[in-house]
Amino acid sequence: MTYPRELPAGLPVGDAWVPAPSHQPVVFPYDGSEFASSPVGDVDLARCAVEHAAGIRKEVAALSARVRRDVLAGVAADLERVASRMAELLVLETGKPRVDCDIEMQRAAATWRAAADEVAHLHGETVPLDLQASGDGMFGFWTRRPIGVVVGIAGFNYPVLLASHKIAPALAAGCPVIVKPAPATPLATLWLTHLVRERLAAAQAPPGAVQLVTGDTEVGRTLTTHPDVAAVSFTGSATVGHRIARDAAPRKVVLELGSNAALVVAADADLDAAADAVARGGYYASGQACISVQRVIAVEEIAGALEKKIAERLPDVVVGDPRDTGTRVSALIDEAATERVLDWIGRARAAGARVVAGGGRTDARCLAPTLLADVPDGEPAWDEEVFGPVVCLRAVPDLDAAYDLVNASRYGLHAAVYTRDLGAAFRAVESLDVGGVVINEVPGYRSDIAPYGGVKDSGTGREGPRFAIEELAVTRMAVIRP
């Protein structure tokens, strides 16, 4: 699988595909081979894209609900049609195991279908103005209107799904959107954009309602700070997200940032189920997922038994070529990411942590699934987002201490709790300072139709079609005195 032959050359800017000023190789992370070339945009193309989007903003806003729904549902069908081929491409450009790429395609199609369904629910309501004496005899209602030009910036780990989280809600809301994929993983997103533009053209809607520009940080800065942009949706690191929020002001910014997701294990938990969850939820996508299990916080009376059960399962986490269907951990996105994770493991060990399993490479490019115990506060393997196949285990006296430790993090995306006690489960829902609490499942469980997002340094705003559409719509109040 290489760059899809059916794609036009260049970049989809405006209503056509325009020549790119330069190209760069796209590398298969597992063996470092160059398997394709990607068009690379620049600041001028970024400006052209925003200017075109601004010029058709009213036309896109005027698209009927029927047209928007049909386009979105059509893209979902297209993604299902090409899912196997696109998953092959995702494996090559992300290095992510095939099983995770197949799941990404399923979730992406589901996102487009859910967005299509939500178009029918994008409406306002009447307001009883006569609750105030000044409103006697008056009629009031509000509607939702498209916010305007949207810029969506996606991370490298789930490029098609994350781009879908930006594009589908924007179109559903009636907004033109410009997407910028991560530099390392542009190809599948280009393919997605092509499918969307074909559906738009077939519906006699402007193809330029969806554009894509690749490029460096200056391209991103141009897109996010342009005065004609109304909203920016970004998925990526907290450091970059915070900078975008500062630079983009006063534009609306929706941020889905990093985390160090915790899985709490109570004394009454099913330890086999919890250990399975760690093995399953800590290493999928080679650990390159913002809500993969990173911190396991266990009540001390069962912590030793849990540690043993997790360690027993790690030999079954297959490491190797991501094209093999049995592989669960493969190479990280690049060597710099691998070296950083190894450095964090070394720092944790030097600070007193125990390496229960893994801790190094299995070959030249892959890291072994790693379990660390007793990583102290202040170490990045505990405090920050590892984004690699590393799980840290710590024992605490009781559930209250566990919940306090979850909340001590600067992050707050998802957390999980394994317990048989319904009271403990509800206490977690009430007390954990995170965007999502998952009981007796991995923190990485998320529904693509539910609100998704974090608190604190994990971001602002919510994704999920219904909620992202609301982020990209503004209310307009109408007050009428007959």
Side-chain angles (χ1 to χ4, degrees), residues 3 32 55 85 96 100 126 170 188 208 223 230 253 266 278 289 296 301 314-315 322 334 348 363 396 400 408 419 452:
Y3 193 77
R85 292 176 60 212
K96 192 167 61 179
D100 297 309
T126 58
L223 292 172
V253 177
V278 175
V296 178
E301 64 188 89
L314 293 192
D334 55 33
D363 56 31
V396 293
D400 287 337
T419 180
Y452 176 75

PDB file of all heavy atoms in Angstrom, residues 3 32 55 85 96 100 126 170 188 208 223 230 253 266 278 289 296 301 314-315 322 334 348 363 396 400 408 419 452:
ATOM      1  N   TYR A   3       0.695   5.692  -1.459  1.00  0.00           N
ATOM      2  CA  TYR A   3      -0.232   6.813  -1.626  1.00  0.00           C
ATOM      3  C   TYR A   3      -1.336   6.405  -2.593  1.00  0.00           C
ATOM      4  O   TYR A   3      -1.053   5.909  -3.691  1.00  0.00           O
ATOM      5  CB  TYR A   3       0.552   8.000  -2.167  1.00  0.00           C
ATOM      6  CG  TYR A   3      -0.172   9.323  -2.123  1.00  0.00           C
ATOM      7  CD1 TYR A   3      -0.280  10.013  -0.925  1.00  0.00           C
ATOM      8  CD2 TYR A   3      -0.725   9.879  -3.256  1.00  0.00           C
ATOM      9  CE1 TYR A   3      -0.924  11.228  -0.865  1.00  0.00           C
ATOM     10  CE2 TYR A   3      -1.373  11.093  -3.218  1.00  0.00           C
ATOM     11  CZ  TYR A   3      -1.472  11.771  -2.016  1.00  0.00           C
ATOM     12  OH  TYR A   3      -2.119  12.967  -1.967  1.00  0.00           O
ATOM     13  N   GLY A  32      11.806   2.335   9.226  1.00  0.00           N
ATOM     14  CA  GLY A  32      12.463   3.547   8.770  1.00  0.00           C
ATOM     15  C   GLY A  32      12.464   3.749   7.278  1.00  0.00           C
ATOM     16  O   GLY A  32      13.083   4.699   6.778  1.00  0.00           O
ATOM     17  N   GLY A  55     -14.718  33.344   2.109  1.00  0.00           N
ATOM     18  CA  GLY A  55     -15.526  33.769   0.974  1.00  0.00           C
ATOM     19  C   GLY A  55     -16.759  32.921   0.748  1.00  0.00           C
ATOM     20  O   GLY A  55     -17.746  33.408   0.168  1.00  0.00           O
ATOM     21  N   ARG A  85      -8.322  -0.770   2.991  1.00  0.00           N
ATOM     22  CA  ARG A  85      -7.193  -0.127   2.305  1.00  0.00           C
ATOM     23  C   ARG A  85      -6.658   1.056   3.111  1.00  0.00           C
ATOM     24  O   ARG A  85      -5.451   1.257   3.202  1.00  0.00           O
ATOM     25  CB  ARG A  85      -7.619   0.332   0.918  1.00  0.00           C
ATOM     26  CG  ARG A  85      -7.919  -0.816  -0.052  1.00  0.00           C
ATOM     27  CD  ARG A  85      -8.430  -0.269  -1.367  1.00  0.00           C
ATOM     28  NE  ARG A  85      -7.448   0.598  -1.988  1.00  0.00           N
ATOM     29  CZ  ARG A  85      -7.754   1.654  -2.743  1.00  0.00           C
ATOM     30  NH1 ARG A  85      -9.023   1.997  -2.924  1.00  0.00           N
ATOM     31  NH2 ARG A  85      -6.815   2.393  -3.285  1.00  0.00           N
ATOM     32  N   LYS A  96       1.296   2.087  13.740  1.00  0.00           N
ATOM     33  CA  LYS A  96       0.386   1.558  14.752  1.00  0.00           C
ATOM     34  C   LYS A  96      -0.055   0.151  14.353  1.00  0.00           C
ATOM     35  O   LYS A  96      -0.262  -0.121  13.164  1.00  0.00           O
ATOM     36  CB  LYS A  96      -0.819   2.502  14.857  1.00  0.00           C
ATOM     37  CG  LYS A  96      -1.720   2.298  16.023  1.00  0.00           C
ATOM     38  CD  LYS A  96      -2.664   3.486  16.150  1.00  0.00           C
ATOM     39  CE  LYS A  96      -3.539   3.666  14.935  1.00  0.00           C
ATOM     40  NZ  LYS A  96      -4.471   4.787  15.057  1.00  0.00           N
ATOM     41  N   ASP A 100      -5.375  -1.824  15.766  1.00  0.00           N
ATOM     42  CA  ASP A 100      -5.757  -0.476  16.202  1.00  0.00           C
ATOM     43  C   ASP A 100      -6.171   0.394  15.026  1.00  0.00           C
ATOM     44  O   ASP A 100      -7.048   1.260  15.161  1.00  0.00           O
ATOM     45  CB  ASP A 100      -4.604   0.174  16.964  1.00  0.00           C
ATOM     46  CG  ASP A 100      -4.255  -0.580  18.234  1.00  0.00           C
ATOM     47  OD1 ASP A 100      -5.174  -0.844  19.027  1.00  0.00           O
ATOM     48  OD2 ASP A 100      -3.080  -0.929  18.424  1.00  0.00           O
ATOM     49  N   THR A 126     -38.220  28.440  21.813  1.00  0.00           N
ATOM     50  CA  THR A 126     -38.842  29.707  22.155  1.00  0.00           C
ATOM     51  C   THR A 126     -38.473  30.111  23.575  1.00  0.00           C
ATOM     52  O   THR A 126     -38.088  29.272  24.402  1.00  0.00           O
ATOM     53  CB  THR A 126     -40.364  29.619  22.032  1.00  0.00           C
ATOM     54  OG1 THR A 126     -40.839  28.581  22.887  1.00  0.00           O
ATOM     55  CG2 THR A 126     -40.778  29.344  20.593  1.00  0.00           C
ATOM     56  N   ALA A 170     -18.023  20.228  12.022  1.00  0.00           N
ATOM     57  CA  ALA A 170     -18.017  21.538  11.364  1.00  0.00           C
ATOM     58  C   ALA A 170     -19.011  21.556  10.209  1.00  0.00           C
ATOM     59  O   ALA A 170     -19.816  22.494  10.073  1.00  0.00           O
ATOM     60  CB  ALA A 170     -16.607  21.868  10.869  1.00  0.00           C
ATOM     61  N   ALA A 188      -3.462   9.507   4.962  1.00  0.00           N
ATOM     62  CA  ALA A 188      -4.826   9.018   5.140  1.00  0.00           C
ATOM     63  C   ALA A 188      -5.796  10.183   5.312  1.00  0.00           C
ATOM     64  O   ALA A 188      -6.956  10.100   4.881  1.00  0.00           O
ATOM     65  CB  ALA A 188      -4.892   8.073   6.334  1.00  0.00           C
ATOM     66  N   GLY A 208     -14.732  23.307  -1.598  1.00  0.00           N
ATOM     67  CA  GLY A 208     -13.853  24.067  -0.725  1.00  0.00           C
ATOM     68  C   GLY A 208     -14.377  24.254   0.677  1.00  0.00           C
ATOM     69  O   GLY A 208     -13.719  24.889   1.509  1.00  0.00           O
ATOM     70  N   LEU A 223      -2.852  29.674  10.327  1.00  0.00           N
ATOM     71  CA  LEU A 223      -4.242  29.231  10.347  1.00  0.00           C
ATOM     72  C   LEU A 223      -4.947  29.638  11.635  1.00  0.00           C
ATOM     73  O   LEU A 223      -6.090  30.117  11.614  1.00  0.00           O
ATOM     74  CB  LEU A 223      -4.302  27.717  10.185  1.00  0.00           C
ATOM     75  CG  LEU A 223      -3.883  27.138   8.830  1.00  0.00           C
ATOM     76  CD1 LEU A 223      -3.820  25.616   8.905  1.00  0.00           C
ATOM     77  CD2 LEU A 223      -4.843  27.573   7.723  1.00  0.00           C
ATOM     78  N   ALA A 230     -12.933  31.689  12.992  1.00  0.00           N
ATOM     79  CA  ALA A 230     -13.809  31.885  14.143  1.00  0.00           C
ATOM     80  C   ALA A 230     -13.541  30.901  15.260  1.00  0.00           C
ATOM     81  O   ALA A 230     -13.792  31.208  16.431  1.00  0.00           O
ATOM     82  CB  ALA A 230     -15.267  31.768  13.705  1.00  0.00           C
ATOM     83  N   VAL A 253     -11.600  28.357  21.119  1.00  0.00           N
ATOM     84  CA  VAL A 253     -10.626  27.273  21.028  1.00  0.00           C
ATOM     85  C   VAL A 253     -11.167  26.057  21.776  1.00  0.00           C
ATOM     86  O   VAL A 253     -11.568  26.163  22.933  1.00  0.00           O
ATOM     87  CB  VAL A 253      -9.261  27.686  21.607  1.00  0.00           C
ATOM     88  CG1 VAL A 253      -8.281  26.510  21.563  1.00  0.00           C
ATOM     89  CG2 VAL A 253      -8.687  28.863  20.828  1.00  0.00           C
ATOM     90  N   ALA A 266      -9.766  -1.103  43.589  1.00  0.00           N
ATOM     91  CA  ALA A 266     -10.208  -1.195  44.983  1.00  0.00           C
ATOM     92  C   ALA A 266      -9.912  -2.584  45.541  1.00  0.00           C
ATOM     93  O   ALA A 266      -9.659  -3.543  44.802  1.00  0.00           O
ATOM     94  CB  ALA A 266     -11.700  -0.898  45.082  1.00  0.00           C
ATOM     95  N   VAL A 278      -5.399  -3.617  32.435  1.00  0.00           N
ATOM     96  CA  VAL A 278      -4.099  -2.947  32.329  1.00  0.00           C
ATOM     97  C   VAL A 278      -3.347  -3.444  31.104  1.00  0.00           C
ATOM     98  O   VAL A 278      -2.788  -2.658  30.327  1.00  0.00           O
ATOM     99  CB  VAL A 278      -3.271  -3.166  33.604  1.00  0.00           C
ATOM    100  CG1 VAL A 278      -1.866  -2.575  33.436  1.00  0.00           C
ATOM    101  CG2 VAL A 278      -3.971  -2.521  34.804  1.00  0.00           C
ATOM    102  N   ALA A 289      -1.707   6.737  23.032  1.00  0.00           N
ATOM    103  CA  ALA A 289      -3.102   7.163  23.124  1.00  0.00           C
ATOM    104  C   ALA A 289      -3.257   7.972  24.398  1.00  0.00           C
ATOM    105  O   ALA A 289      -2.727   7.600  25.448  1.00  0.00           O
ATOM    106  CB  ALA A 289      -4.049   5.961  23.133  1.00  0.00           C
ATOM    107  N   VAL A 296      -1.526   3.046  37.470  1.00  0.00           N
ATOM    108  CA  VAL A 296      -2.382   2.095  38.169  1.00  0.00           C
ATOM    109  C   VAL A 296      -2.226   2.369  39.660  1.00  0.00           C
ATOM    110  O   VAL A 296      -1.117   2.282  40.203  1.00  0.00           O
ATOM    111  CB  VAL A 296      -2.008   0.637  37.845  1.00  0.00           C
ATOM    112  CG1 VAL A 296      -2.887  -0.323  38.641  1.00  0.00           C
ATOM    113  CG2 VAL A 296      -2.149   0.381  36.353  1.00  0.00           C
ATOM    114  N   GLU A 301      -3.597  -3.514  50.130  1.00  0.00           N
ATOM    115  CA  GLU A 301      -3.801  -4.909  50.515  1.00  0.00           C
ATOM    116  C   GLU A 301      -3.877  -5.848  49.310  1.00  0.00           C
ATOM    117  O   GLU A 301      -3.685  -7.054  49.449  1.00  0.00           O
ATOM    118  CB  GLU A 301      -5.052  -5.058  51.375  1.00  0.00           C
ATOM    119  CG  GLU A 301      -6.352  -4.707  50.695  1.00  0.00           C
ATOM    120  CD  GLU A 301      -7.523  -4.704  51.674  1.00  0.00           C
ATOM    121  OE1 GLU A 301      -7.785  -3.636  52.276  1.00  0.00           O
ATOM    122  OE2 GLU A 301      -8.141  -5.769  51.832  1.00  0.00           O
ATOM    123  N   LEU A 314       2.002  -9.792  30.636  1.00  0.00           N
ATOM    124  CA  LEU A 314       2.777  -9.000  29.681  1.00  0.00           C
ATOM    125  C   LEU A 314       3.469  -9.831  28.605  1.00  0.00           C
ATOM    126  O   LEU A 314       3.609  -9.347  27.467  1.00  0.00           O
ATOM    127  CB  LEU A 314       3.784  -8.115  30.420  1.00  0.00           C
ATOM    128  CG  LEU A 314       3.154  -7.000  31.266  1.00  0.00           C
ATOM    129  CD1 LEU A 314       4.211  -6.015  31.724  1.00  0.00           C
ATOM    130  CD2 LEU A 314       2.061  -6.273  30.498  1.00  0.00           C
ATOM    131  N   PRO A 315       3.933 -11.054  28.886  1.00  0.00           N
ATOM    132  CA  PRO A 315       4.511 -11.844  27.782  1.00  0.00           C
ATOM    133  C   PRO A 315       3.531 -12.117  26.645  1.00  0.00           C
ATOM    134  O   PRO A 315       3.948 -12.424  25.521  1.00  0.00           O
ATOM    135  CB  PRO A 315       4.942 -13.150  28.471  1.00  0.00           C
ATOM    136  CG  PRO A 315       5.179 -12.752  29.889  1.00  0.00           C
ATOM    137  CD  PRO A 315       4.134 -11.710  30.180  1.00  0.00           C
ATOM    138  N   PRO A 322       3.880  -4.074  12.814  1.00  0.00           N
ATOM    139  CA  PRO A 322       2.485  -3.656  12.976  1.00  0.00           C
ATOM    140  C   PRO A 322       1.566  -4.199  11.889  1.00  0.00           C
ATOM    141  O   PRO A 322       0.340  -4.151  12.040  1.00  0.00           O
ATOM    142  CB  PRO A 322       2.573  -2.128  12.921  1.00  0.00           C
ATOM    143  CG  PRO A 322       3.790  -1.853  12.102  1.00  0.00           C
ATOM    144  CD  PRO A 322       4.752  -2.937  12.476  1.00  0.00           C
ATOM    145  N   ASP A 334       8.620   7.867  16.031  1.00  0.00           N
ATOM    146  CA  ASP A 334       9.972   8.136  15.536  1.00  0.00           C
ATOM    147  C   ASP A 334      10.982   7.825  16.635  1.00  0.00           C
ATOM    148  O   ASP A 334      10.620   7.538  17.785  1.00  0.00           O
ATOM    149  CB  ASP A 334      10.121   9.580  15.037  1.00  0.00           C
ATOM    150  CG  ASP A 334       9.731  10.631  16.066  1.00  0.00           C
ATOM    151  OD1 ASP A 334       9.946  10.391  17.277  1.00  0.00           O
ATOM    152  OD2 ASP A 334       9.229  11.693  15.672  1.00  0.00           O
ATOM    153  N   ALA A 348      13.188   7.273  36.162  1.00  0.00           N
ATOM    154  CA  ALA A 348      12.364   6.667  37.209  1.00  0.00           C
ATOM    155  C   ALA A 348      13.156   5.622  37.978  1.00  0.00           C
ATOM    156  O   ALA A 348      13.095   5.558  39.218  1.00  0.00           O
ATOM    157  CB  ALA A 348      11.116   6.037  36.587  1.00  0.00           C
ATOM    158  N   ASP A 363      14.047  -4.768  20.143  1.00  0.00           N
ATOM    159  CA  ASP A 363      14.893  -4.789  18.949  1.00  0.00           C
ATOM    160  C   ASP A 363      15.317  -3.357  18.682  1.00  0.00           C
ATOM    161  O   ASP A 363      15.209  -2.493  19.563  1.00  0.00           O
ATOM    162  CB  ASP A 363      14.169  -5.414  17.749  1.00  0.00           C
ATOM    163  CG  ASP A 363      12.843  -4.719  17.426  1.00  0.00           C
ATOM    164  OD1 ASP A 363      12.737  -3.503  17.659  1.00  0.00           O
ATOM    165  OD2 ASP A 363      11.919  -5.395  16.950  1.00  0.00           O
ATOM    166  N   VAL A 396      -1.623   2.508  47.603  1.00  0.00           N
ATOM    167  CA  VAL A 396      -2.101   3.552  48.495  1.00  0.00           C
ATOM    168  C   VAL A 396      -2.919   2.892  49.608  1.00  0.00           C
ATOM    169  O   VAL A 396      -3.387   1.761  49.454  1.00  0.00           O
ATOM    170  CB  VAL A 396      -2.970   4.590  47.751  1.00  0.00           C
ATOM    171  CG1 VAL A 396      -2.141   5.388  46.769  1.00  0.00           C
ATOM    172  CG2 VAL A 396      -4.136   3.908  47.046  1.00  0.00           C
ATOM    173  N   ASP A 400      -9.961   6.525  49.331  1.00  0.00           N
ATOM    174  CA  ASP A 400      -9.894   7.981  49.437  1.00  0.00           C
ATOM    175  C   ASP A 400      -8.523   8.486  49.000  1.00  0.00           C
ATOM    176  O   ASP A 400      -8.412   9.489  48.276  1.00  0.00           O
ATOM    177  CB  ASP A 400     -10.175   8.421  50.874  1.00  0.00           C
ATOM    178  CG  ASP A 400     -11.643   8.276  51.250  1.00  0.00           C
ATOM    179  OD1 ASP A 400     -12.491   8.272  50.322  1.00  0.00           O
ATOM    180  OD2 ASP A 400     -11.953   8.156  52.450  1.00  0.00           O
ATOM    181  N   ALA A 408      -4.497  14.720  42.114  1.00  0.00           N
ATOM    182  CA  ALA A 408      -3.276  15.514  42.315  1.00  0.00           C
ATOM    183  C   ALA A 408      -2.580  15.837  41.004  1.00  0.00           C
ATOM    184  O   ALA A 408      -1.718  16.720  40.957  1.00  0.00           O
ATOM    185  CB  ALA A 408      -2.321  14.767  43.246  1.00  0.00           C
ATOM    186  N   THR A 419     -14.117  -1.832  40.862  1.00  0.00           N
ATOM    187  CA  THR A 419     -14.701  -2.078  42.171  1.00  0.00           C
ATOM    188  C   THR A 419     -16.017  -2.814  42.000  1.00  0.00           C
ATOM    189  O   THR A 419     -16.675  -2.696  40.957  1.00  0.00           O
ATOM    190  CB  THR A 419     -14.942  -0.767  42.936  1.00  0.00           C
ATOM    191  OG1 THR A 419     -15.521  -1.056  44.215  1.00  0.00           O
ATOM    192  CG2 THR A 419     -15.874   0.163  42.184  1.00  0.00           C
ATOM    193  N   TYR A 452     -16.772  14.136  25.050  1.00  0.00           N
ATOM    194  CA  TYR A 452     -15.411  13.717  25.364  1.00  0.00           C
ATOM    195  C   TYR A 452     -14.522  14.945  25.464  1.00  0.00           C
ATOM    196  O   TYR A 452     -14.518  15.801  24.575  1.00  0.00           O
ATOM    197  CB  TYR A 452     -14.871  12.775  24.288  1.00  0.00           C
ATOM    198  CG  TYR A 452     -13.428  12.392  24.503  1.00  0.00           C
ATOM    199  CD1 TYR A 452     -13.084  11.472  25.488  1.00  0.00           C
ATOM    200  CD2 TYR A 452     -12.414  12.960  23.744  1.00  0.00           C
ATOM    201  CE1 TYR A 452     -11.767  11.126  25.701  1.00  0.00           C
ATOM    202  CE2 TYR A 452     -11.096  12.612  23.949  1.00  0.00           C
ATOM    203  CZ  TYR A 452     -10.772  11.696  24.924  1.00  0.00           C
ATOM    204  OH  TYR A 452      -9.463  11.357  25.151  1.00  0.00           O
TER     205      TYR A 452
END
